[in-house]
Amino acid sequence: MAAQNAHLRLGVNIDHVATLRNARGGTDPDPVRAALLAQNAGADGITLHLREDRRHIRDADLDAVMAAVSLPVNLEMAATEEMQRIAVKHRPHAVCLVPERREERTTEGGLEVAGDQNRLRDYIAPLRAAGARVSLFIAPDESQVEAAARVGAQIVELHVGAYAEHCAAGNDDARDAELRKLFGAAALGYELGLEVHAGHGLNFVNVGPIAAIPEVVELNIGHFLIGEAMFVGLEAAIREMRRQMNLARL
Ligand code: PXP
């Protein structure tokens, strides 16, 4: 078993700063500013997902964030040829392969690794040759963890979305069953020499049990943090606008 008290890293996913920017089409809010704030606030990494449809993060954001922050950048992407070219060119610290369907609102399930081993093995090799640490975003399923080790990934990120949904719905039995699967998958990943991460749908209420899984060394959290920032930051933003307006009338 891994050391329970080792520092648990926080990767802050800034995608939804870009979602908000794109809703208006201008330059605010700026994902780079968010990445720098996350860095100042003690984040251990910046995560961004360059989707095939560029619905939030765009290619220029990846360039700008990588140039601006000193933290490791974790690029989430679908296992397509286009994304492989981009990753090899940009050489982020880590690449996390995720399943992607255009119509989904967010990453809905884990990557099918067990049924796609030959393709993924070939896909991962150039990423590793470019210096990226390769992570696979998978459901907490033994066969997927074992397959991840076989295809040459160094990391598995366990999808905790089902756990988060059961928490939100108050389905305690289903939540506990999912948590048992997550504990089992994390232990197996560690045994197989994989680094174990977790993410998706985490918030202040549900993060505790996931943060307590001893083999998990990194959590990637985005949507909740960006939403919460509105509530903890809106008051200060309104006060500053009031101040600027008052200054103009002195
Ligand atoms: N990890 C992975 C692999 C993801 O795809 C996502 C969502 O983009 C996250 C973590 C973050 O999830 P959330 O935005 O729900 O915190």
Side-chain angles (χ1 to χ4, degrees):
M1 188 182 275
Q4 173 90 53
N5 294 323
H7 175 67
L8 176 59
R9 296 197 302 266
L10 170 62
V12 173
N13 180 317
I14 58 166
D15 292 348
H16 297 299
V17 178
T19 305
L20 203 53
R21 175 197 61 191
N22 298 354
R24 178 58 77 89
T27 55
D28 292 321
D30 180 5
V32 172
R33 188 172 167 201
L36 290 170
L37 265 177
Q39 179 168 286
N40 285 342
D44 301 286
I46 301 298
T47 292
L48 27 78
H49 184 174
L50 187 66
R51 294 186 74 102
E52 291 179 86
D53 62 7
R54 309 302 197 267
R55 78 172 68 146
H56 35 62
I57 293 298
R58 298 176 184 145
D59 303 61
D61 295 322
L62 175 61
D63 280 333
V65 167
M66 286 192 67
V69 300
S70 54
L71 291 176
V73 169
N74 172 34
L75 174 63
E76 294 177 359
M77 60 184 219
T80 64
E81 279 181 27
E82 181 202 15
M83 291 299 154
Q84 191 187 49
R85 274 195 303 278
I86 290 171
V88 166
K89 178 167 160 235
H90 284 79
R91 297 174 172 260
H93 171 80
V95 167
C96 180
L97 299 180
V98 301
E100 216 178 272
R101 283 195 304 276
R102 259 166 223 277
E103 65 278 14
E104 72 190 358
R105 261 184 284 174
T106 180
T107 315
E108 279 165 5
L111 191 69
E112 176 50 51
V113 184
D116 199 14
Q117 294 184 50
N118 290 339
R119 188 182 81 89
L120 284 171
R121 191 178 291 110
D122 292 347
Y123 189 87
I124 287 169
L127 298 174
R128 288 193 56 166
R133 306 191 68 227
V134 176
S135 171
L136 302 180
F137 188 45
I138 56 168
D141 180 304
E142 276 187 13
S143 65
Q144 302 294 351
V145 179
E146 285 164 355
R150 279 198 294 271
V151 298
Q154 294 123 305
I155 303 164
V156 281
E157 178 163 333
L158 299 178
H159 196 319
V160 303
Y163 156 82
E165 275 172 25
H166 295 317
C167 288
N171 292 334
D172 295 356
D173 290 346
R175 175 203 61 200
D176 291 347
E178 194 62 26
L179 209 44
R180 281 193 293 276
K181 282 201 231 165
L182 287 161
F183 268 84
L188 178 62
Y190 182 78
E191 247 175 66
L192 295 175
L194 295 164
E195 188 171 301
V196 183
H197 300 177
H200 204 93
L202 291 172
N203 60 33
F204 292 151
V205 172
N206 65 23
V207 73
I210 301 299
I213 300 175
E215 294 84 4
V216 170
V217 298
E218 178 174 312
L219 300 181
N220 283 298
I221 308 181
H223 186 263
F224 171 78
L225 283 176
I226 303 307
E228 182 65 12
M230 218 158 40
F231 298 115
V232 298
L234 189 58
E235 197 179 328
I238 293 169
R239 284 188 201 290
E240 176 61 13
M241 183 56 77
R242 184 72 264 165
R243 197 179 70 82
Q244 294 292 341
M245 289 162 59
N246 292 348
L247 281 175
R249 292 290 177 104
L250 281 181

